[in-house]
Amino acid sequence: MLEISKKLFAAFNESEVIYCSWKGNDHLDKCLSGIGDIDILVSKDSKSKCYQTLKELEFLHCESQFGYRIPNVEDWIGFDKETGNMIHVHLHFKIVAGKFGIMEYDLPWASMALETRLLHKDVNVFIIEPELELITRYALLTLSPNRLTEIKHKVKGYNIPKKYKTEIEYLKTNIENGKLQDYINKLFPNKSSRVFELITKVDLTSHDFFELRFIYKKTFRFNQRYNVLSLKVRELKMIVAPIIRKTIRKIYPTKILIRKTPISGKAPIITFMGQDGAGKSTVVKDIREWLSWKLEVSQFYLGSGDHYQPWEKRLQNRLHGSNNPFAKLICKWLPFSYLSKLGRNVYKTIVKANKYANKGGIVLFDRYPQIQYEGINDGPKIRTSIMHHAKNVILYAIADFYAKREEKYLQKAVAYSPDVVIKLMLTPEESIRRKPHENYEAVKHKHEIIKSLKFDSAAVYTVDATQDYEKEIIEIKKIIWQHILKS
């Protein structure tokens, strides 16, 4: 169990929050270790104390995107400082069931579940009684199929999904039949004997499943939150919306968000900087994987590698090495056009990234433009690195035009400051040891530049890239988590 999980439920118990884990208790230990979600039912009377505890433990209140939202359910994500792992708490104020994304049933035994809760035998967490959890699990299974799924079950036959079969078998070995019968008598007064027979059956046939589904739907028809017309409209939205979302996301990946975002609606822009050998690419990759477990995150590329291939670069690659005088002249001109266009692309990418962050997506950069030093470290390049190749007046005038254009776009780009800058630092000697083919003086120069670069509107952190990697990545995660909470 993660330390953050221990602290959360110890605080809930100490402050007398009325809660219980109402499903998935066969693998609760895994959920408390950050594998899977923790579904907690909370009494509305304990709502304020619950919120206070979550905020004190630095949990992030998140919002799911359209189509993934569940009524009367909130998302809270916690960060474990010892391991760097996250836990995801679904905070329920009602027990809901139904079709994916709609959850049209408010099941009427939430109060009963809280009144009869019991303490888990292995962990300090209150859980729903297994008899009531079994009834709940069958409600989730029978009330969830939409029309297409229902037809599929009728044609192919019904089988309990493997991920739920283990849970149901676990619950059946931990129930008392007398207690189960008492719950069923209260909840299904007209069909209690048949419901007991079906729920305790080893395997449900397709006929059994649809009979149980009919009983659940008829018994709890007055617990539906929508009338027939509203329900059909929502069902249609849930069919059409994912198709539209996927189509737009393929064309414009950052226009449509799919994972959870901070409830504030704003997320930080994080930039990583580091010289050769600092392991920047590995760090950015690992941070992206860590955040994308639940949160909306995207890496934006500002470099001139495979992510940006304008026609000038492609043509220069084709003409390289040609002895044709005209081709040589074109090759002299192409870098001016390419670098100025790269400056424009950097500016447009940063604008796009800021829009994405304003919608709640966390932005990662593995470099960032600067105008403090020319010709190096993502600074302006044409004026210092290329213009001296312009041997005649016309070529020099062309170079000067493109140099001003490049500088203009980079000035506009740096006007958008990142929120967090993390410098991965190591000594020039260590850098050369890790990348022996590099020039020592060039490495030393880059080291001094990165160390001295200023970002007036950003929080700048220096991280020792020579320490043990596990310690380094946890240190970086702590920095990022604090800024996600502040956003």
Side-chain angles (χ1 to χ4, degrees), residues 27-133:
H27 57 275
L28 182 59
D29 55 336
K30 290 184 179 179
C31 297
L32 296 171
S33 299
I35 304 169
D37 304 336
I38 310 170
D39 290 280
I40 302 297
L41 176 66
V42 178
S43 166
K44 288 191 175 180
D45 294 335
S46 298
K47 197 172 184 178
S48 59
K49 285 190 285 187
C50 178
Y51 282 171
Q52 183 181 348
T53 301
L54 288 164
K55 288 174 182 176
E56 285 174 357
L57 292 174
E58 297 185 334
F59 273 70
L60 178 69
H61 191 185
C62 298
E63 182 178 43
S64 296
Q65 306 308 313
F66 173 77
Y68 299 95
R69 294 172 191 159
I70 302 174
N72 296 301
V73 179
E74 295 179 0
D75 292 287
W76 291 79
I77 297 176
F79 173 67
D80 186 66
K81 294 178 181 178
E82 279 70 25
T83 63
N85 293 333
M86 290 189 278
I87 64 166
H88 180 203
V89 175
H90 280 301
L91 212 59
H92 298 252
F93 298 104
K94 289 184 179 180
I95 298 178
V96 294
K99 299 172 184 67
F100 176 76
I102 302 174
M103 297 295 181
E104 65 271 27
Y105 290 92
D106 287 331
L107 299 179
W109 56 83
S111 298
M112 190 187 300
L114 293 169
E115 288 166 7
T116 59
R117 65 186 182 145
L118 52 89
L119 199 61
H120 194 283
K121 60 182 180 180
D122 298 321
V123 293
N124 192 31
V125 178
F126 281 99
I127 62 171
I128 188 174
E129 284 200 311
E131 294 80 11
L132 200 50
E133 185 179 355

Side-chain angles (χ1 to χ4, degrees), residues 81-84 272 277-291 364 422 424-426 430 433-434 463-478 480:
K81 294 178 181 178
E82 279 70 25
T83 63
F272 291 87
K280 184 176 60 174
S281 299
T282 303
V283 168
V284 175
K285 175 178 171 290
D286 288 347
I287 290 297
R288 182 176 181 178
E289 287 179 0
W290 167 65
L291 290 169
L364 301 179
I422 298 174
L424 307 177
M425 301 302 294
L426 39 74
E430 178 63 19
R433 190 188 70 79
R434 296 183 183 186
V463 174
D464 179 10
T466 63
Q467 64 182 309
D468 180 74
Y469 184 71
E470 288 301 316
K471 291 181 180 178
E472 178 188 349
I473 204 72
I474 289 174
E475 182 183 345
I476 293 168
K477 287 177 179 180
K478 287 178 182 177
I480 291 172

Side-chain angles (χ1 to χ4, degrees), residues 137-160:
R137 172 49 65 194
Y138 275 109
L140 298 175
L141 283 171
T142 57
L143 298 175
S144 61
N146 56 32
R147 184 64 63 188
L148 293 175
T149 309
E150 192 173 336
I151 292 169
K152 178 184 169 184
H153 288 333
K154 285 179 178 177
V155 173
K156 293 188 174 182
Y158 178 76
N159 287 308
I160 294 175

Side-chain angles (χ1 to χ4, degrees), residues 138 142 157-158 160 194-195 197-216:
Y138 275 109
T142 57
Y158 178 76
I160 294 175
R194 184 57 179 157
V195 170
E197 184 183 341
L198 289 169
I199 282 180
T200 54
K201 199 171 181 181
V202 176
D203 286 308
L204 290 181
T205 65
S206 186
H207 180 271
D208 293 336
F209 172 78
F210 285 105
E211 184 183 355
L212 192 59
R213 173 174 165 79
F214 176 78
I215 294 171
Y216 267 97

Side-chain angles (χ1 to χ4, degrees), residues 254-272:
T254 58
K255 289 281 186 183
I256 300 293
L257 310 188
I258 57 172
R259 292 185 178 87
K260 291 167 181 53
T261 56
I263 203 75
S264 63
K266 177 74 173 69
I269 297 173
I270 303 161
T271 294
F272 291 87

